[in-house]
Amino acid sequence: MSTDAIVLLKEDHKEMRRLFRAFQAAEDGPASERRKIVGQILEALTVHTYLENEVMYPEVRKLLPDLEDDILESYEEHHVADLLCAELVAMDAEDAHFNAKTTVLIENVEHHVEEEEQEWFPKVREALGRKQLQEIGERMIALRPDAPRSPTDPKAIKKAVDAVTA
Ligand SMILES: [Fe+2]
Ligand SMILES: [Fe+2]
């Protein structure tokens, strides 16, 4: 298994896209099924955002000052997704707003992931050595078991606020 940070983050992105497609396929289906898939989406996003905010982003910001603007924009995009996740976690799947809110979350995250994968991850790969990317990946693997899994976990909330204020 690769420990390269970018490979690991892209694997997460792939899993998110799979869950997004699953939601789209279930959009007109039973509330219980939509609730279940959205629960999986919220968990995947909470873990992934935490690892990026705690390890990948600060590391890139420190090592590659030229990418500062991309990192700051990415933190804000996480923040927008966090707000939608916090609303969705408490929302009944029968609620008239449930599908619309999930769709906007998906659109936002897809745009964000696209920017990571197309715009600044390639610059990170070019600038950092293979060894440095493996070290960053190893730190994310080590942190993953302790990552919050729900948007309502106080640790997730605190770190999310730190990310757009620090
Ligand atoms: Fe991200
Ligand atoms: Fe990401």
Side-chain angles (χ1 to χ4, degrees):
M1 193 187 78
S2 176
T3 60
D4 179 292
I6 291 175
V7 171
L8 295 174
L9 293 172
K10 282 186 170 179
E11 280 169 5
D12 278 0
H13 293 168
K14 200 173 152 195
E15 171 62 6
M16 280 172 207
R17 288 190 179 103
R18 188 188 69 76
L19 292 168
F20 293 166
R21 297 293 91 80
F23 175 79
Q24 284 158 349
E27 218 166 344
D28 302 320
S32 60
E33 180 66 10
R34 290 182 288 116
R35 176 76 259 163
K36 190 179 132 217
I37 298 167
V38 168
Q40 292 169 333
I41 289 173
L42 297 183
E43 179 173 340
L45 283 176
T46 303
V47 172
H48 182 80
T49 301
Y50 181 81
L51 296 178
E52 286 189 339
N53 284 356
E54 289 301 296
V55 182
M56 183 69 171
Y57 286 15
E59 203 59 31
V60 172
R61 194 177 178 188
K62 187 177 77 192
L63 295 169
L64 304 170
D66 284 358
L67 294 185
E68 170 94 355
D69 290 350
D70 294 281
I71 296 293
L72 291 176
E73 187 182 320
S74 294
Y75 275 131
E76 294 301 330
E77 287 173 351
H78 282 183
H79 182 50
V80 171
D82 287 340
L83 293 175
L84 294 167
C85 288
E87 290 178 327
L88 275 168
V89 79
M91 188 177 274
D92 197 310
E94 309 270 16
D95 191 297
H97 296 275
F98 187 84
N99 278 12
K101 208 174 276 294
T102 303
T103 298
V104 170
L105 174 67
I106 290 172
E107 285 170 357
N108 270 277
V109 173
E110 282 185 330
H111 161 83
H112 171 75
V113 161
E114 186 81 4
E115 284 193 347
E116 287 182 335
E117 291 193 358
Q118 305 299 325
E119 289 177 22
W120 63 267
F121 280 4
K123 294 179 190 160
V124 174
R125 158 121 15 249
E126 211 171 292
L128 300 187
R130 194 213 243 296
K131 191 153 186 307
Q132 258 175 322
L133 282 169
Q134 284 173 345
E135 279 165 10
I136 297 170
E138 279 156 19
R139 283 180 51 206
M140 290 195 291
I141 290 169
L143 194 60
R144 198 170 185 104
D146 296 325
R149 317 203 84 79
S150 161
T152 56
D153 183 325
K155 184 156 74 171
I157 297 168
K158 184 187 180 307
K159 296 294 186 177
V161 171
D162 287 351
V164 283
T165 50

